[in-house]
Amino acid sequence: MDLPRYSYHQSLEQRAGQPQRRPVVIVGAGPVGLSLALDLARRDVPVVVIDDNDRIGSGSRAVCWAKKTLEVFDRLGVGEAVAREGVRWQRGRVFHGEREAYRFDLLPEAGHKMPAMVNLQQDQVEARLVRAVQLDGRIELRGRHELIGLEQDATGVTLTVRTPDGLFDMQADWVVACDGARSPTRTLLGVGFAGQVFEDRFLIADVTLSPGARPRGLDPAQPERWFWFDPPFHRGQSVLLHAQAHGLWRIDFQLGREADVEAEKQPERIRARVAAMLDGAPFELAWSSIYQFACRRAERFRVGRVLLAGDAAHQVSPFGARGANSGVQDADNLGWKLAAVVKGQGDDGLLDTYEFERMEAADDNIGHSTRATDFISPKSALSRRLRRAALDLAPHADFAKALVNSGRLSLPTAHVDSPLSTPDEDSWGPGPGPGCPAPDAPLAGGGWLVEAMAGDFVLLAFGWPVEVPGLRVVTLPGEGLAATRYGARPGSIVLVRPDAVIAARWHRFDAAAVAQALARALGRTDE
């Protein structure tokens, strides 16, 4: 796929020398910034996206896109294309040496529009998002616009931007920083970014195999995630293998803390490692990189009229595919809230709940990521012995499988303590409660529940229809798969937020209770 560019051009406000006030300016044109721009535009909020580059970055980088993220992409108009172009998978295998320790299935139950995971290189996903942005007249994407200054007061934000034609100022009601782990915006705000930097280094190698090659039993027709602890071809370390789109395979080699980075960058060294792993099968090296990662987050996600999202707000290790997925889910959480505030439909405090919920999600992801890294790279003799015991027992005992951690794969965080949620008044059985992600299910007339929710507040009515002025109602059977997944029965009502999070639920319809829960979900504490 030819990657689109967003070349620099002078804006009207540059030529006129007079800043034009914008409702929202997004800093950073990666997957998070582009997703947020599309979300806001679909809510009729005009957006300007600025980036210090004018092209999509090279290499695979983020590869695994989780079911929740795919549902967000689908609402933004690119989900089906990503799922069609990428490699779908839901199963994985973990090996200790040459022996299988255990295998898993991320989505054993059918009845979901989107698969558990799709592998598609980040540049390909970004290309889809850039094209969608360029086709939307409510979004202006400006390349080679580097943010170098930022001031704000109670009414707005002034951004000083450097371009090939010099400096100029932009003005915005709100600014969202999606400008990566080295975020200039976060630095200008003086927000701390604390956590743990891990000393281990890892090598990424993207390779293409010769037609028909199936080393170590790889089957391109049945892709799985394979992870090795102490494999015979890379003793004492770990290796991760993923199938990618367009015939690429992604291999991550753990190199250890003492690795000579300059030596490991040499193509002949990389090819030797890949050749050993592929058991001599012919291949071509398409791209490689050596990385070192951190698990940390910003001390604030909101400073006045400036908000942080994606890597600008948090970083995790790549094990578990929690980085880009959690960033897109930041955008999903923020988009409807920011649009509601811009349009006067929600109180300013609604943006504080973005900080509350997404800091909770960041801490959740960092915890999972840190535990996986500690297991993959034990730091003491005792932790190494415990890891060896868990791996040895895993083929024989289920409890030991739960101890083996090659990266707990990305799942959305449940915000059970969210101030936007209305606590249950009735007794409910199994099923996600307020603050939890709303499950998908097939609809009787065709289509999917995630499509019917479509990024708005929705009332799910199980068993018979109800009416609430200004609120869309989706009527579902009182029994069946959807009712089971929600723990509903005939007469049950579930209020779902625009980011497909359950806001409230009842076993009987009460229009006043629904109105009160909707006001609470919009941050209107005075109603």
Side-chain angles (χ1 to χ4, degrees):
M1 174 189 290
D2 292 332
L3 300 181
R5 297 277 296 273
Y6 38 98
S7 301
Y8 169 74
H9 63 274
Q10 264 198 358
S11 62
L12 178 61
E13 57 194 305
Q14 281 177 274
R15 294 194 295 271
Q18 182 66 41
Q20 182 179 347
R21 186 69 170 257
R22 308 285 183 162
V24 179
V25 170
I26 296 171
V27 185
V32 179
L34 296 169
S35 295
L36 180 59
L38 288 167
D39 188 287
L40 289 168
R42 278 157 174 72
R43 302 181 195 282
D44 290 322
V45 176
V47 185
V48 176
V49 182
I50 64 172
D51 196 280
D52 58 3
N53 210 330
D54 63 355
R55 69 191 68 197
I56 293 167
S58 62
S60 57
R61 294 172 291 151
V63 168
C64 302
W65 305 95
K67 179 176 179 289
K68 172 64 176 178
T69 300
L70 294 167
E71 291 171 350
V72 176
F73 285 161
D74 196 40
R75 180 168 54 78
L76 301 179
V78 300
E80 290 186 359
V82 170
R84 182 175 59 250
E85 185 177 355
V87 175
R88 298 176 176 227
W89 66 276
Q90 65 189 62
R91 298 181 180 87
R93 301 169 69 184
V94 177
F95 301 90
H96 182 206
E98 297 183 86
R99 182 183 61 187
E100 182 177 307
Y102 72 97
R103 59 182 64 193
F104 61 85
D105 190 332
L106 296 174
L107 200 64
E109 184 183 61
H112 302 267
K113 178 178 183 181
M114 288 297 171
M117 285 280 179
V118 166
N119 287 358
L120 184 61
Q121 299 88 302
Q122 181 174 328
D123 57 0
Q124 305 298 306
V125 173
E126 284 189 38
R128 296 281 184 186
L129 293 168
V130 166
R131 288 197 177 98
V133 161
Q134 291 174 331
L135 290 172
D136 195 314
R138 296 161 293 191
I139 306 172
E140 186 179 353
L141 177 55
R142 299 181 180 179
R144 300 184 70 186
H145 278 56
E146 179 188 2
L147 178 68
I148 63 169
L150 185 147
E151 294 182 0
Q152 63 172 315
D153 57 26
T155 63
V157 186
T158 300
L159 305 91
T160 301
V161 178
R162 178 160 49 211
T163 74
D165 290 318
L167 306 182
F168 80 102
D169 287 343
M170 300 176 63
Q171 292 182 348
D173 294 335
W174 300 94
V175 172
V176 185
C178 305
D179 48 353
R182 296 184 178 88
S183 171
T185 314
R186 190 185 63 238
T187 301
L188 290 168
L189 292 170
V191 173
F193 199 46
Q196 184 178 0
V197 178
F198 291 89
E199 297 178 5
D200 267 76
R201 291 177 170 85
F202 292 78
L203 164 70
I204 301 174
D206 284 354
V207 304
T208 55
L209 299 180
S210 298
R214 295 180 59 174
R216 303 191 182 279
L218 298 178
D219 185 357
Q222 295 182 326
E224 297 176 330
R225 178 189 193 261
W226 286 12
F227 192 103
W228 287 267
F229 291 98
D230 190 24
F233 51 84
H234 194 52
R235 282 298 184 193
Q237 305 290 357
S238 62
V239 177
L240 173 63
L241 175 71
H242 272 289
Q244 299 184 84
H246 315 303
L248 280 176
W249 293 85
R250 161 82 169 261
I251 311 171
D252 287 56
F253 294 93
Q254 182 182 12
L255 300 177
R257 281 165 276 180
E258 307 302 325
D260 183 336
V261 173
E262 291 306 314
E264 295 294 349
K265 287 181 179 178
Q266 300 304 311
E268 60 272 16
R269 179 78 69 95
I270 297 172
R271 289 192 180 95
R273 291 199 185 283
V274 174
M277 185 264 161
L278 295 178
D279 202 22
F283 69 92
E284 291 186 7
L285 182 63
W287 179 77
S288 64
S289 178
I290 292 178
Y291 65 89
Q292 188 177 1
F293 57 82
C295 291
R296 53 189 175 184
R297 71 160 170 85
E299 61 188 9
R300 297 287 308 277
F301 285 14
R302 179 188 180 188
V303 180
R305 289 179 169 268
V306 184
L307 301 110
L308 307 178
D311 285 354
H314 46 75
Q315 273 186 288
V316 292
S317 80
F319 304 110
R322 292 174 177 269
N325 284 296
S326 63
V328 172
Q329 290 162 34
D330 288 346
D332 187 42
N333 186 287
L334 178 58
W336 69 272
K337 295 176 179 178
L338 187 52
V341 172
V342 168
K343 294 180 173 184
Q345 298 167 348
D347 290 347
D348 176 84
L350 190 58
L351 298 179
D352 290 332
T353 71
Y354 165 75
E355 180 178 66
F356 174 86
E357 292 180 346
R358 296 317 294 170
M359 285 178 71
E360 180 180 45
D363 289 341
D364 181 33
N365 286 317
I366 287 170
H368 281 291
S369 185
T370 301
R371 288 188 290 273
T373 303
D374 288 341
F375 191 88
I376 291 167
S377 181
K379 307 299 187 295
S380 68
L382 176 59
S383 58
R384 284 191 291 272
R385 286 197 294 270
L386 289 173
R387 186 182 82 163
R388 178 62 183 262
L391 288 165
D392 286 342
L393 281 170
H396 314 290
D398 287 341
F399 82 90
K401 293 180 175 63
L403 300 176
V404 176
N405 193 338
S406 66
R408 304 287 188 247
L409 288 154
S410 176
L411 290 172
T413 300
H415 303 299
V416 295
D417 297 319
S418 172
L420 302 184
S421 298
T422 298
D424 288 335
E425 295 179 356
D426 304 315
S427 175
W428 286 70
C436 295
D440 189 18
L443 299 179
W448 300 92
L449 183 53
V450 289
E451 297 171 336
M453 291 189 284
D456 299 320
F457 276 102
V458 172
L459 202 64
L460 307 182
F462 290 86
W464 55 78
V466 298
E467 291 186 8
V468 178
L471 187 61
R472 192 154 52 84
V473 177
V474 176
T475 304
L476 299 165
E479 297 178 345
L481 184 58
T484 298
R485 286 182 175 167
Y486 282 84
R489 63 195 189 203
S492 296
I493 302 292
V494 179
L495 178 64
V496 180
R497 298 178 356 185
D499 53 352
V501 170
I502 295 171
R505 57 183 184 169
W506 308 266
H507 278 314
R508 65 188 185 284
F509 175 65
D510 182 328
V514 171
Q516 187 174 17
L518 179 60
R520 179 170 183 165
L522 283 165
R524 298 175 186 160
T525 55
D526 57 340
E527 296 187 24

